[in-house]
Amino acid sequence: MINRTIADIFNEIAAMLSLDERPTARFEVRAYQKAALTIGMMQEPIEDIYRKGGVNALMELPGVGKSIAGHIEEYIKTGRIKKYDELKKKYPIDMAGLTSISGMGAKRAMVLYRKLGIKDIDDLKRALARHEIRALDGFSEKSEAIIAKGLAFRETSKGRMLISDALPVGEGIVKALMDSGLVEKVMMAGSARRMRDTVGDLDILAISKEGQKVMDFFTKLPEVSGIVAKGPTKSTVNLDIGMSCDLRVLEPQSFGAAVQYFTGSRDHNIQTRTIAVKKGYKLNEYGLFDRKNRNIGGAEEESIYEKLGMQWMPPEMREARGEVELALQHRIPRLVEPKDMRGDLHSHTKATDGDNTLEEMAAAAMKLGYEYIANTEHTKSLYVTKGMNDRQFDAHFKKIDKYNDSLNGKFRILKGAEIEILKDGSLDLAPATLKRMDCLVASVHSNFNMPKKEMTERVIKALDSGYVHILGHPTGRVIGVRSAYDIDLEKVAEAAGRNRVALEVNCLQRFDLNDTNILLTSKYKVNYAVNTDAHQTGHFAFMRYGVGTARRGWLAKEQVINTLPLEKLLKTLHR
Ligand code: DGT
Ligand code: CA
Ligand code: CA
Ligand code: ZN
């Protein structure tokens, strides 16, 4: 899957074009950024779309016009994009890397290159260490500090990649191995199997009698950019997407033990091994061995847990947070599953900052078998998204009513909004409009730097208004972009429970609430909504990761409101 590679190239083209003086360059920059955003997040391999429908199918993707579709075709056919190569010659610097640091635009990167010869992040680090940047024209001690802070934030998330970027690539490799005919079994392990929100590297396990051939095949896959180590039972490669991937080839009698061990987590393994030792066994990646060193349960993961007197548990729970104790007592809860989801309660259309029409979003949701979606456009205070005012909502809701009527009950669009929680905790629409909402998501998108106490009061005031159904992305973090704001989630959960407001598990690059915050808040009698926050039809596909996060927070189907059939959901929302 080359989606991420192409998105990176387009982002870099955009960064380089932004140095262009032509008045039209601005539009080109935006076009490349838009295409990069769509392609980078798409779950279907772009090469498959091209193979099935050619350039025309590419042009149906949001933000992809004729010339960009041409570039994609060129890359698929030749592995290069001429325009990119030409720009790279003109600007021999790592623009994408440098501009990914918050506080560093393309223009600044160019100044740093011309004045200090900074070509990449390593050069930048050196210049920061020597305080060379603050002395330049147009920079100051303050702007230097902002860049240093941006770099530090990047470093803390360094090397880890969003599960939604990593897993599709890993699954592509799993499928390629399966289709190769060289393996009997192949499986994803590691943090990707545990559905952790970010992944450090991919861990794949296979059974085969032809280890050498499997490794030859694996190390030559098109996704591979370099070989780190290659042997008949273990190889490690670097992938184009900027992450490494381990493959281990195993004997059938060790496969289950390896799956258990390499799924992890490390702390879960340590606890599990302690239980084995107490029983007089030895547990490692090759098997479960009794006192006479016979492998008594290495072939199947289930049999290892069984022999240890434990109930099998979903990989998402294996983080040493009490799941081992529950497994020993055979009290592992039944967790919510992707197939339980009957709709999505947070989505945007072209009416504000989305890319598709209401009809297109509904059609995509119906195709997934959903019974409903909530359309939740932004509200007026969020100018950058073309947020709507009361009058606009009135017109918009009439349109939704008409569309729902035309569907004859086959599907329902719930009328909603993603309303701004203003600095003082008030909401930015009139009560008459708020009363018409089937599903009101309320979110904080401004003044992130308030003290904890004030932020907590701000949000609770919104929940106490009586109009809110869902608290959107409750901590405000965006992975790789911005960390969570300071807020007392336990107090918020208590207020949400009291007001029967569901807390959101937002899947679009946020995973907010995350697993630990779900575990923290679920002590209070509060429900959750797992939402994709779709801004285009393709984003509905992120639901599986949100459900993964919910499972990591041990949520059952009953705790997630968008598993309810439409009528029951409406009753819950209309409390
Ligand atoms: P990642 O790659 O950082 O997102 O996280 P994981 O969990 O995939 O970690 P990774 O790839 O380093 O190792 C895969 C699994 O192998 C890990 O979840 C548990 C197991 N493992 C690795 N190192 C150790 C260790 O030192 N002790 C034990 N008990 N297990 C380990
Ligand atoms: Ca891993
Ligand atoms: Ca690994
Ligand atoms: Zn939204």
Side-chain angles (χ1 to χ4, degrees):
M1 176 156 147
I2 56 171
N3 300 22
R4 182 49 38 203
T5 312
I6 290 200
D8 288 347
I9 291 177
F10 286 173
N11 271 326
E12 199 161 353
I13 291 179
M16 293 189 283
L17 280 177
S18 67
L19 299 165
D20 199 318
E21 300 289 327
R22 283 173 304 133
T24 53
R26 209 156 49 91
F27 299 106
E28 275 185 71
V29 169
R30 213 166 304 146
Y32 280 101
Q33 285 170 337
K34 190 109 203 263
L37 204 61
T38 296
I39 295 162
M41 292 180 45
M42 235 166 53
Q43 295 292 295
E44 194 183 350
I46 195 153
E47 56 271 37
D48 289 0
I49 294 177
Y50 174 73
R51 215 174 296 129
K52 279 185 225 148
V55 172
N56 286 332
L58 295 176
M59 283 168 65
E60 274 170 32
L61 299 169
V64 176
K66 201 167 165 198
S67 80
I68 287 183
H71 289 327
I72 299 169
E73 180 180 48
E74 187 188 347
Y75 187 86
I76 291 172
K77 283 189 171 161
T78 69
R80 324 202 56 88
I81 295 174
K82 228 166 77 203
K83 184 181 179 112
Y84 173 68
D85 293 343
E86 279 163 11
L87 283 165
K88 270 316 256 193
K89 240 182 258 161
K90 198 164 159 195
Y91 306 110
I93 48 182
D94 174 18
M95 266 292 182
L98 288 170
T99 56
S100 72
I101 297 164
S102 101
M104 268 291 268
K107 295 220 167 71
R108 285 199 154 166
M110 212 51 217
V111 172
L112 294 182
Y113 170 62
R114 293 210 173 110
K115 295 266 170 70
L116 299 173
I118 293 173
K119 284 208 193 81
D120 53 28
I121 288 176
D122 285 337
D123 292 344
L124 179 68
K125 274 189 212 158
R126 252 169 270 146
L128 282 170
R130 293 192 209 119
H131 295 298
E132 289 172 346
I133 293 171
R134 60 177 69 169
L136 298 177
D137 269 356
F139 288 84
S140 62
E141 211 166 303
K142 192 171 165 211
S143 58
E144 186 183 87
I146 289 171
I147 295 171
K149 202 174 149 204
L151 187 67
F153 182 77
R154 210 189 109 102
E155 297 281 298
T156 57
S157 49
K158 187 171 135 188
R160 300 195 69 83
M161 189 166 247
L162 278 172
I163 178 88
S164 45
D165 288 335
L167 190 55
V169 176
E171 286 173 339
I173 296 173
V174 165
K175 184 170 182 302
L177 285 166
M178 208 57 233
D179 293 348
S180 73
L182 295 166
V183 301
E184 280 157 54
K185 233 185 199 174
V186 52
M187 221 178 120
M188 179 69 72
S191 53
R193 185 176 180 225
R194 301 197 314 279
M195 281 278 184
R196 214 180 134 176
D197 48 16
T198 62
V199 171
D201 76 345
L202 293 168
D203 304 276
I204 301 177
L205 308 172
I207 300 179
S208 173
K209 292 193 184 69
E210 307 176 280
Q212 198 62 56
K213 275 192 196 159
V214 173
M215 294 310 185
D216 288 341
F217 179 84
F218 172 64
T219 52
K220 284 195 193 111
L221 283 169
E223 292 89 345
V224 170
S225 61
I227 301 172
V228 179
K230 188 179 168 194
T233 58
K234 191 199 164 190
S235 295
T236 301
V237 296
N238 287 324
L239 302 174
D240 279 341
I241 55 170
M243 144 169 297
S244 67
C245 177
D246 294 341
L247 173 65
R248 288 181 170 80
V249 172
L250 302 140
E251 306 277 339
Q253 70 271 18
S254 290
F255 190 70
V259 167
Q260 196 281 325
Y261 181 89
F262 290 108
T263 295
S265 64
R266 187 177 156 270
D267 292 345
H268 172 85
N269 286 354
I270 291 169
Q271 292 189 356
T272 311
R273 200 189 306 138
T274 308
I275 290 169
V277 170
K278 273 190 204 148
K279 288 195 176 308
Y281 297 151
K282 191 176 86 194
L283 176 64
N284 58 30
E285 60 264 51
Y286 302 106
L288 178 65
F289 301 91
D290 67 8
R291 284 198 172 83
K292 292 185 179 136
N293 220 22
R294 286 176 308 201
N295 189 350
I296 56 166
E300 307 279 345
E301 185 185 76
E302 286 82 355
S303 71
I304 292 175
Y305 285 114
E306 196 191 307
K307 293 264 159 53
L308 294 177
M310 294 166 74
Q311 189 183 354
W312 181 89
M313 80 224 67
E316 292 93 332
M317 291 184 75
R318 302 182 197 171
E319 296 287 351
R321 293 167 177 160
E323 76 281 4
V324 169
E325 290 81 351
L326 285 188
L328 286 168
Q329 299 161 8
H330 288 255
R331 283 176 48 222
I332 293 290
R334 255 194 87 132
L335 304 181
V336 60
E337 293 176 40
K339 69 169 172 46
D340 297 330
M341 305 312 296
R342 300 204 195 213
D344 200 320
L345 298 176
H346 185 162
S347 70
H348 302 265
T349 73
K350 276 184 169 164
T352 55
D353 64 344
D355 295 311
N356 290 100
T357 63
L358 202 59
E359 290 79 2
E360 287 164 350
M361 294 298 275
M366 280 185 247
K367 225 170 133 189
L368 293 172
Y370 284 167
E371 294 174 24
Y372 50 82
I373 56 172
N375 170 245
T376 53
E377 304 296 356
H378 289 290
T379 55
K380 61 187 183 191
S381 308
L382 201 61
Y383 312 107
V384 288
T385 61
K386 298 186 291 172
M388 304 198 300
N389 60 27
D390 293 282
R391 202 172 30 79
Q392 289 167 313
F393 271 102
D394 179 54
H396 189 68
F397 284 172
K398 284 187 178 128
K399 201 178 136 194
I400 293 179
D401 282 338
K402 213 167 126 199
Y403 181 61
N404 276 334
D405 285 344
S406 78
L407 291 171
N408 292 319
K410 273 203 313 254
F411 183 84
R412 173 87 163 257
I413 296 186
L414 305 188
K415 286 175 287 194
E418 181 178 13
I419 200 165
E420 291 303 294
I421 300 178
L422 300 176
K423 197 176 174 193
D424 65 356
S426 62
L427 304 172
D428 67 341
L429 289 174
T433 312
L434 296 175
K435 280 187 194 129
R436 293 169 69 188
M437 302 279 175
D438 298 319
C439 179
L440 184 65
V441 179
S443 307
V444 168
H445 291 122
S446 62
N447 301 98
F448 296 123
N449 292 323
M450 290 166 80
K452 184 171 185 171
K453 184 162 174 287
E454 278 164 48
M455 183 61 95
T456 306
E457 284 166 3
R458 171 186 181 182
V459 168
I460 289 176
K461 184 175 165 200
L463 303 189
D464 284 339
S465 74
Y467 293 114
V468 177
H469 299 106
I470 297 172
L471 176 61
H473 42 76
T475 78
R477 77 149 174 181
V478 183
I479 293 176
V481 178
R482 167 175 347 114
S483 41
Y485 39 72
D486 247 349
I487 189 162
D488 187 333
L489 276 180
E490 292 195 67
K491 287 211 174 92
V492 169
E494 192 274 321
R498 171 159 50 79
N499 287 294
R500 291 213 260 155
V501 173
L503 300 179
E504 185 175 64
V505 178
N506 184 302
C507 331
L508 201 76
Q509 209 185 334
R510 292 177 178 272
F511 299 110
D512 178 20
L513 295 177
N514 65 9
D515 50 0
T516 48
N517 287 333
I518 295 170
L519 286 165
L520 179 74
T521 51
S522 61
K523 292 183 295 212
Y524 299 84
K525 272 197 190 128
V526 60
N527 283 327
Y528 297 81
V530 182
N531 293 332
T532 64
D533 199 352
H535 282 66
Q536 47 183 252
T537 53
H539 292 172
F540 286 132
F542 287 78
M543 184 59 88
R544 60 181 297 211
Y545 307 111
V547 173
T549 301
R551 290 165 64 83
R552 289 176 61 79
W554 300 13
L555 291 186
K557 180 179 171 182
E558 295 68 34
Q559 292 167 284
V560 179
I561 60 171
N562 48 327
T563 62
L564 291 170
L566 179 64
E567 291 310 317
K568 282 199 176 145
L569 173 74
L570 288 174
K571 253 189 225 144
T572 302
L573 293 174
H574 289 167
R575 61 205 160 190

